[in-house]
Amino acid sequence: MEQMEPGALAAVVTSPDRRAEHITELLALVRSRAYDGIDLDYETIAATGDATYRTVGAGYTALVRDLCSGLHALGKVCFATVTPKTTTTGRIWDYRSLGQVADRVRIMAYNLHYATGTPEPLSSTAWYDEILRRATAEIPVDSIELGLPAYGWDRAEGSDEGARHVTSKEAEALREAVGAPYGLDPVSQTPHFTYKEDGTVRTVWYQDARGTEAHLPVLRRYGVRDTVLWALNFEDPGLWAVLARGA
């Protein structure tokens, strides 16, 4: 995951020389240990200065293409992790080209609503439908992995402060500790509850096995069988049985 200042990674991917140098370093890293390959998770490739979305997107696609070529020559796998492409997001990604060169394209289908703003769900069935309608039109279905959330946000209502991150395990433990009833939102099909802390009303939205089970039919409708989780050991223990059963 990119931890650079905005524009720093764009400067790398839009420069053929710097891009080639970066690929050389990544391939050397893979050869240095018994790695199976690379999952390239660069999430905030900002289009700043002279770098437009078109030029940055093209540069990133070239990076993935050349990196995957080098990895395949070594007998290694090449994955690209990207944010969802919808009517308002993801314009940096050339899904069609990425789907042609990467072994898997991992779409991070979480954070429909972020740690700021009003308390709302991390994902929804309607959002998954939009994501997959676009993705399956451009990427081979067998190359798609949909990222599922195993965490949540605990927000203070009426406050400008960012939300607290909680794992699915922590969210459920908190719900039981405060004695809040379990509730599955009928629209988004994600669990949530409200409680008070020092007089402040807080709302927690998260995802668990029951909510994931309600989301899986959307994936199956588009023929997507493969999922990836953010993150291991965050999850509701019952999630594995749900994924094993499918929907």
Side-chain angles (χ1 to χ4, degrees):
M1 182 183 298
E2 180 197 357
Q3 297 293 333
M4 302 178 184
E5 292 296 320
L9 186 54
V12 173
V13 301
T14 56
S15 165
D17 290 342
R18 295 187 66 183
R19 190 168 64 232
E21 181 181 1
H22 187 47
I23 291 169
T24 297
E25 292 171 347
L26 291 174
L27 293 176
L29 175 64
V30 170
R31 287 193 297 266
S32 70
R33 299 190 182 185
Y35 293 125
D36 293 325
I38 283 181
D39 176 1
L40 200 65
D41 182 6
Y42 292 162
E43 299 177 17
T44 54
I45 311 176
T48 58
D50 295 331
T52 65
Y53 276 98
R54 183 181 295 274
T55 58
V56 175
Y60 177 79
T61 298
L63 172 70
V64 176
R65 181 197 64 216
D66 295 345
L67 176 62
C68 288
S69 177
L71 288 168
H72 291 156
L74 297 174
K76 306 293 185 178
V77 296
C78 182
F79 291 4
T81 293
V82 298
T83 54
K85 194 173 184 179
T86 69
T87 54
T88 58
T89 63
R91 56 180 168 166
I92 203 80
W93 315 116
D94 181 349
Y95 270 11
R96 193 174 301 279
S97 295
L98 295 178
Q100 291 173 350
V101 298
D103 297 300
R104 294 290 179 92
V105 178
R106 290 176 160 170
I107 302 172
M108 296 178 287
Y110 37 79
N111 271 349
L112 171 58
H113 298 99
Y114 288 82
T116 57
T118 58
E120 295 185 78
L122 284 78
S123 56
S124 72
T125 51
W127 191 50
Y128 281 4
D129 185 78
E130 181 183 8
I131 291 169
L132 291 175
R133 176 170 48 82
R134 293 173 179 274
T136 55
E138 300 185 49
I139 304 170
V141 171
D142 290 344
S143 296
I144 295 174
E145 287 185 354
L146 198 71
L148 305 177
Y151 66 95
W153 296 117
D154 178 346
R155 292 180 176 86
E157 295 193 2
S159 172
D160 293 332
E161 70 177 31
R164 300 171 184 168
H165 178 277
V166 290
T167 68
S168 294
K169 291 178 181 177
E170 291 169 341
E172 185 58 20
L174 175 61
R175 186 188 68 80
E176 293 179 355
V178 299
Y182 180 88
L184 193 69
D185 178 49
V187 177
S188 68
Q189 295 294 315
T190 56
H192 62 101
F193 63 91
T194 299
Y195 71 102
K196 281 190 176 182
E197 180 185 76
D198 298 328
T200 299
V201 177
R202 303 190 65 92
T203 298
V204 181
W205 285 88
Y206 61 112
Q207 186 59 298
D208 64 357
R210 186 174 168 185
T212 299
E213 188 169 27
H215 283 187
L216 288 181
V218 181
L219 280 64
R220 305 306 181 237
R221 191 160 65 244
Y222 286 93
V224 174
R225 308 293 303 182
D226 297 309
T227 56
V228 62
L229 192 67
W230 186 261
L232 289 178
N233 205 36
F234 284 8
E235 75 280 356
D236 172 357
L239 178 63
W240 299 109
V242 168
L243 293 178
R245 287 195 304 272

